Amino acid sequence: MSDFFANPNNVLVFDFDGVILDSASLKREAFAALYDDQPEPLRRAVRAYLGRRGGQPREVKFRHIEAHILGREVTDASINDLCRRFKVDVERRIHEAPAIPGALEFLARHRGCLPIYLLSATPEHELREITDQRGLTHYFDEVIGSPPDKVTGLGHLLNRHGHRAPRTVMVGDSYNDYRAARSNGTGFLGVTADPAASPFPSDVVTTHDLHGLEAALEAWFHLALASGSA
């Protein structure tokens, strides 16, 4: 057995969109579609913002778009309406989203061998509905959505289960995932389909998809041992 998986004290925490399901881009499209009636420069600005802000709660994104890109007055009622419309569109799209290559095989191989959690910015009740409907819930020791934000959610997870941060690895596809890991002192491994457009610092170990996750985890583990952080 490999070094990382030989230690039952090691812990994995997965993001969802873009890591387990290939759904990050479809969610960006659902966001952008709500602004198709805007002039082209504003549509471009919205898409550019969404491309930079993966892993954040939808309310945060909508408040920024409405206030800082469109210059509109932001109210709870307007944000709630946008979130409702977004949810309806995403529910239609999400059931057709394929799994990230290698994700289901990885989870099936390692389920029960070490703690594996799902941590997402998706509202928790929606996340649980999706994982139940897609037959994914049983792969995880706990399915955790928002609120709170990922930094806080990861910290609560570590405290709740008594996991050591240096033995925990967050697997994510956005800078927000990386920030959550760094803020809590855990390891981080990036998933990026295009290494040339990686949102992560150059020293972050990455994998193209989850077919390469085991090798990437071994690389991370050996680097962590060499630095004394694991």
Side-chain angles (χ1 to χ4, degrees):
M1 185 179 288
S2 62
D3 292 339
F4 180 86
F5 295 98
N7 192 325
N9 292 318
N10 289 338
V11 178
L12 288 173
V13 182
F14 286 91
D15 179 40
F16 188 53
D17 297 307
V19 175
I20 301 300
L21 281 191
D22 192 4
S23 48
S25 60
L26 72 82
K27 285 194 171 182
R28 285 195 297 272
E29 288 302 315
F31 265 107
L34 292 171
Y35 297 100
D36 280 348
D37 60 340
Q38 296 298 312
E40 178 59 26
L42 292 179
R43 294 202 302 271
R44 286 200 302 269
V46 167
R47 288 181 178 274
Y49 168 76
L50 294 171
R52 298 190 303 269
R53 295 302 180 198
Q56 289 186 323
R58 63 191 61 167
E59 293 88 349
V60 172
K61 294 178 183 178
F62 280 130
R63 286 183 183 277
H64 180 91
I65 292 169
E66 291 291 306
H68 299 291
I69 297 179
L70 301 185
R72 291 172 172 170
E73 179 182 357
V74 176
T75 66
D76 288 344
S78 67
I79 297 301
N80 289 340
D81 181 61
L82 286 165
C83 288
R84 179 191 58 77
R85 292 164 57 197
F86 174 79
K87 178 177 182 293
V88 170
D89 194 10
V90 165
E91 284 179 346
R92 178 180 60 82
R93 299 171 187 247
I94 198 78
H95 298 295
E96 301 174 1
I100 292 292
L104 301 186
E105 296 89 339
F106 179 93
L107 293 171
R109 279 194 299 273
H110 299 293
R111 176 184 58 185
C113 299
L114 74 169
I116 299 178
Y117 300 96
L118 189 65
L119 177 66
S120 173
T122 301
E124 187 161 307
H125 67 282
E126 291 181 30
L127 183 65
R128 290 178 179 274
E129 287 177 3
I130 294 166
T131 56
D132 284 348
Q133 291 167 0
R134 294 295 300 260
L136 300 171
T137 305
H138 69 290
Y139 288 122
F140 303 101
D141 291 82
E142 190 174 352
V143 173
I144 306 160
S146 67
D149 60 86
K150 280 188 179 175
V151 172
T152 306
L154 182 56
H156 286 174
L157 186 159
L158 296 174
N159 292 331
R160 188 162 60 248
H161 296 284
H163 296 312
R164 293 181 56 224
R167 289 289 187 176
T168 301
V169 181
M170 175 80 189
V171 182
D173 70 327
S174 72
Y175 189 84
N176 200 46
D177 298 327
Y178 172 76
R179 186 172 69 88
R182 287 295 301 270
S183 297
N184 285 284
T186 74
F188 180 79
L189 196 148
V191 179
T192 176
D194 181 4
S198 170
F200 312 118
S202 59
D203 62 342
V204 170
V205 177
T206 63
T207 180
H208 177 74
D209 58 30
L210 268 59
H211 282 307
L213 184 56
E214 279 143 335
L217 283 167
E218 291 304 326
W220 172 87
F221 189 58
H222 291 136
L223 287 171
L225 287 175
S227 67
S229 61

